[in-house]
Amino acid sequence: MMRSVRSRLFGMLVIFIILPYFLSVFIIYDNTRSSVEEHEIEKSREELEEGSRSLQRYFDEMIELSYSLYNDPDVLSVFENGLNDEQRQPFERSMKIFSISRPEIRQMRIYFEKDSSALSVYQSKFSAPKKQEDYVNQAPFRTLYESDDNFFIERPHVIKNANNAAILPESDRTRVLTIHHKVTNVLSGEFLGFISMDIDVTAYSSLILNLSDGGESRLTLLDGEDRIMYSSQRLNGSESGDEGDKLVLEEKLKGNIDGWRLVKVIDRDVLFRDVNQAATTNILLGIGVVLLGIIMVVVISHIITKPIEKMSEKVRSIGGENMDVDFTTSRKDELGHLEDHMDEMMDRINQHIDREYKLEIESRKNQFRALRSQVNPHFLFNALQTIGAVALKSGAKDVYKLITSLSKMMRYSLRADQWVTVQEELDYIETYLSMQRERFGEGVHADIEVDAEVRTASIPSMLLQPLVENYFKHSYEEGYDEAPLSITGERDGGSILFTVQNTGASISDEDLGQIRSSIYGAPSGQDGGIGLKNIYDRLRLNFKENASFQLDTLEGRGFRIVMKLPFMEDKEEGGDSDESTDRR
């Protein structure tokens, strides 16, 4: 039998592993080269299209940015009337806001034809205006002045101190791309001056570097005159067409930079490097597998097969009540180590079975202890009454009042999901306010004006109290201790209109919008809670479309909540008795 296993293993090794393996290596290598090239071309084209769209959007935005600048009334007025003391402050304020909004703008140079003067803006710092009589005759401004175009893009260079301004440090060696704009009066076409923006090259080069595949490929941005606006590497010769061992792809840009090209050059040696390495590794691995397979056939047949067979018989004998199989062995190799672990595993299994029985018994005991340790809420009420009686006998009337108030609040809180009268809710609020007055003193200002007719109506419990609690949490305890709290309730046809407001503490319109979004969104699905979201969800649950819940900030002078809900007569569930509570 052992000889049969050995011969079968050897035959299977040759027929089903060795020959198919080497045949598949050559087939896979050829297919992989074609697939990799097709995939790289398709992926690169998609990336170039996306990259070109990103570059178009960016340059369109930067070119049109200057239009928005000199259309600013404060800036346009300076271009038309000159830079005088009266207009200097609003002009500099507009320029600071503009420069701060676009941190990639390293420097701005502005020429005013009205004064024949120019100034520079560097990191929100302004240089003194200098006379520049021949500014228009300098390159490239003469070409731009005589051209019908409104802008000219200068190729990347190290930032220049064109106006010899002291605000530009000599240590700044940032490479920038300059966009020169010709400023004209839109209505008359009169020439007003120039605006030049030095844009940090890294602002748009990051959009290109994302396409470079970790630096293996070369990315180049060329303008309409084939000037290099950015290159990930130094380039030699033309960057278009398929040149031998290079794969060259390009994408044309449109918009304000129509005629620009984004070119990607991939070396085929680099492209297929991983494929060649994988093929070589697979061949070497195949040779090793053949040699190792032959050795394994011999070793497994003569040394390992028999001990495995014995261990397999022991494993098969496990089952039912036979859990005491002996796996002890004198072997010191991997099989001996495995049998030792099997023996330890059987011991752990037996111990685990015993422990599970004990845990089950202990779990039942704990459940019994938990049932016995539950405290009846009525016991707590009786205990509070007992403590209150002791306090009263001791002459501590204030303590007795506090304990009585706390007992009422606890009893009312047990009816969180029931219907109560408005009067019961107001009584609870008065009790809560009395507790807070004991805590903060008589400085707590609360005014409750609810019509007598409304006080008999039925509402869900804990509908108004959370709003009072929010007042202390977000207004009184935040330092607005003079801000009064107002609660009003009145009959409005077949509805009740509750208004809860306080002056002092308020929130911004943005925070108010976020609160409204969270409240009017989908229900949270959680039980309990005393927040505004919970109140709104309960109104929707009980009254559906017949109730409303509105918030506003009293024009920044406080906070107001207006609730409108149907007027309902007192329900049976709203009674005070414990019998009613138990029936619910």
Side-chain angles (χ1 to χ4, degrees):
M1 181 178 179
M2 292 298 104
R3 185 174 303 171
S4 175
V5 171
R6 183 172 60 251
S7 60
R8 290 181 180 180
L9 286 174
F10 187 81
M12 292 174 61
L13 179 67
V14 174
I15 298 173
F16 296 106
I17 298 178
I18 298 176
L19 294 178
Y21 180 85
F22 285 103
L23 183 61
S24 65
V25 167
F26 292 108
I27 295 175
I28 291 173
Y29 174 75
D30 184 69
N31 291 336
T32 302
R33 281 181 62 93
S34 301
S35 177
V36 166
E37 183 169 351
E38 292 175 0
H39 174 73
E40 183 64 26
I41 292 175
E42 181 179 357
K43 185 187 74 170
S44 296
R45 289 198 183 279
E46 292 176 354
E47 290 176 346
L48 284 175
E49 290 177 1
E50 180 62 29
S52 65
R53 285 194 292 268
S54 299
L55 287 170
Q56 287 171 201
R57 287 193 297 268
Y58 181 80
F59 278 101
D60 286 345
E61 180 182 355
M62 296 307 298
I63 291 170
E64 293 170 3
L65 200 59
S66 291
Y67 300 145
S68 65
L69 175 62
Y70 65 74
N71 283 331
D72 185 312
D74 294 329
V75 177
L76 184 60
S77 177
V78 174
F79 275 103
E80 292 178 340
N81 304 317
L83 186 63
N84 53 50
D85 293 336
E86 180 181 353
Q87 295 174 327
R88 186 181 185 90
Q89 184 175 1
F91 168 76
E92 291 186 353
R93 181 174 61 250
S94 296
M95 295 302 300
K96 283 183 180 180
I97 295 174
F98 178 82
S99 60
I100 292 173
S101 67
R102 301 305 298 226
E104 70 264 41
I105 300 178
R106 301 291 296 179
Q107 179 183 218
M108 295 183 63
R109 300 188 301 278
I110 307 173
Y111 169 73
F112 306 101
E113 174 68 10
K114 182 72 175 180
D115 298 330
S116 295
S117 62
L119 60 80
S120 298
V121 183
Y122 179 83
Q123 294 184 351
S124 300
K125 298 177 182 177
F126 291 79
S127 70
K130 294 182 179 180
K131 283 291 182 179
Q132 299 282 348
E133 299 291 344
D134 62 339
Y135 199 92
V136 177
N137 295 322
Q138 298 176 12
F141 300 106
R142 168 54 61 182
T143 303
L144 181 58
Y145 175 79
E146 296 175 349
S147 171
D148 293 333
D149 296 329
N150 292 323
F151 68 93
F152 173 80
I153 300 179
E154 186 179 351
R155 64 178 299 176
H157 55 85
V158 176
I159 192 169
K160 301 175 184 177
N161 192 344
N163 296 330
N164 296 321
I167 58 175
L168 180 63
E170 295 182 0
S171 60
D172 193 341
R173 306 294 296 170
T174 306
R175 286 190 61 80
V176 296
L177 176 143
T178 304
I179 302 178
H180 303 284
H181 279 268
K182 179 169 61 177
V183 182
T184 58
N185 187 299
V186 178
L187 298 178
S188 65
E190 177 188 1
F191 171 69
L192 300 178
F194 295 108
I195 295 177
S196 300
M197 297 189 304
D198 290 337
I199 301 171
D200 193 336
V201 171
T202 58
Y204 66 88
S205 64
S206 60
L207 301 175
I208 303 175
L209 288 175
N210 292 334
L211 313 175
S212 64
D213 300 327
E216 298 289 353
S217 58
R218 294 176 294 173
L219 271 298
T220 309
L221 180 63
L222 304 172
D223 68 358
E225 300 176 0
D226 285 343
R227 296 182 304 167
I228 298 175
M229 309 308 286
Y230 176 79
S231 175
S232 61
Q233 299 178 13
R234 184 177 296 277
L235 303 176
N236 296 314
S238 175
E239 290 299 336
S240 62
D242 196 341
E243 301 183 357
D245 60 346
K246 293 190 296 184
L247 184 62
V248 182
L249 302 171
E250 71 173 44
E251 184 71 22
K252 293 185 178 180
L253 283 67
K254 300 178 181 179
N256 286 319
I257 53 175
D258 187 22
W260 287 33
R261 293 179 297 142
L262 182 60
V263 182
K264 183 173 185 179
V265 181
I266 306 170
D267 290 331
R268 279 193 167 86
D269 292 338
V270 174
L271 181 62
F272 299 128
R273 181 176 56 196
D274 293 339
V275 177
N276 295 333
Q277 290 178 353
T280 303
T281 302
N282 288 336
I283 292 173
L284 295 176
L285 182 62
I287 295 173
V289 168
V290 171
L291 296 176
L292 183 61
I294 295 173
I295 297 173
M296 287 177 59
V297 168
V298 177
V299 173
I300 292 173
S301 300
H302 288 84
I303 300 175
I304 301 178
T305 306
K306 190 172 183 179
I308 290 178
E309 202 171 77
K310 290 182 179 179
M311 188 171 63
S312 178
E313 291 177 357
K314 292 181 180 180
V315 172
R316 285 197 299 269
S317 66
I318 300 173
E321 298 180 356
N322 184 23
M323 301 296 293
D324 295 323
V325 179
D326 185 15
F327 282 93
T328 56
T329 180
S330 59
R331 296 178 65 91
K332 300 300 181 183
D333 57 8
E334 290 82 1
L335 286 175
H337 185 67
L338 180 60
E339 291 195 30
D340 289 339
H341 276 281
M342 290 291 293
D343 193 51
E344 294 175 3
M345 184 181 69
M346 291 304 301
D347 291 338
R348 288 197 297 270
I349 290 174
N350 290 326
Q351 293 173 7
H352 181 71
I353 292 174
D354 293 338
R355 186 167 62 251
E356 286 296 315
Y357 279 115
K358 292 178 182 178
L359 288 175
E360 180 65 20
I361 294 174
E362 187 65 24
S363 176
R364 294 185 180 276
K365 289 181 179 179
N366 288 335
Q367 291 177 7
F368 178 72
R369 294 192 192 103
L371 289 173
R372 291 196 309 175
S373 64
Q374 289 182 347
V375 179
N376 192 314
H378 294 287
F379 170 76
L380 292 177
F381 298 145
N382 294 334
L384 287 174
Q385 291 177 358
T386 302
I387 296 172
V390 172
L392 191 61
K393 290 179 181 179
S394 302
K397 295 182 179 180
D398 292 338
V399 175
Y400 175 76
K401 291 179 180 179
L402 290 174
I403 293 174
T404 302
S405 298
L406 178 60
S407 177
K408 291 180 180 179
M409 292 177 66
M410 290 181 61
R411 187 179 298 275
Y412 186 81
S413 65
L414 292 177
R415 305 167 61 189
D417 294 326
Q418 299 182 19
W419 287 75
V420 298
T421 63
V422 174
Q423 182 62 53
E424 290 173 323
E425 180 81 359
L426 295 178
D427 290 343
Y428 178 73
I429 292 174
E430 290 288 359
T431 303
Y432 177 79
L433 290 173
S434 67
M435 296 286 287
Q436 294 291 46
R437 289 191 179 98
E438 288 295 333
R439 178 185 176 189
F440 297 109
E442 293 299 326
V444 176
H445 303 291
D447 184 19
I448 301 176
E449 296 183 3
V450 179
D451 295 346
E453 183 181 10
V454 173
R455 292 174 181 262
T456 62
S458 181
I459 61 173
S461 65
M462 306 296 285
L463 196 64
L464 298 174
Q465 191 275 341
L467 303 179
V468 180
E469 187 171 338
N470 280 350
Y471 159 74
F472 283 95
K473 181 178 180 181
H474 299 292
S475 178
Y476 196 89
E477 295 182 11
E478 293 293 331
Y480 296 92
D481 49 358
E482 297 297 328
L485 171 68
S486 171
I487 301 175
T488 62
E490 58 184 354
R491 181 77 177 267
D492 184 15
S495 303
I496 302 176
L497 195 64
F498 286 114
T499 303
V500 181
Q501 70 179 35
N502 67 276
T503 57
S506 187
I507 59 175
S508 65
D509 292 339
E510 181 179 357
D511 291 338
L512 179 62
Q514 292 178 354
I515 292 175
R516 285 173 173 169
S517 298
S518 63
I519 291 176
Y520 302 141
S524 61
Q526 298 177 349
D527 294 333
I530 59 172
L532 302 179
K533 171 67 173 172
N534 178 265
I535 297 175
Y536 175 74
D537 288 345
R538 292 174 65 203
L539 286 174
R540 299 286 293 180
L541 180 64
N542 286 282
F543 304 110
K544 295 184 172 50
E545 303 294 335
N546 297 323
S548 63
F549 189 81
Q550 300 176 355
L551 302 85
D552 66 75
T553 61
L554 299 175
E555 298 181 351
R557 293 180 285 104
F559 197 76
R560 175 170 60 193
I561 297 173
V562 179
M563 288 188 293
K564 188 175 184 180
L565 58 153
F567 183 91
M568 302 181 67
E569 296 295 336
D570 185 14
K571 292 194 172 186
E572 180 183 355
E573 300 97 302
D576 287 334
S577 68
D578 292 339
E579 179 182 357
S580 174
T581 302
D582 294 339
R583 185 169 61 251
R584 294 247 340 149

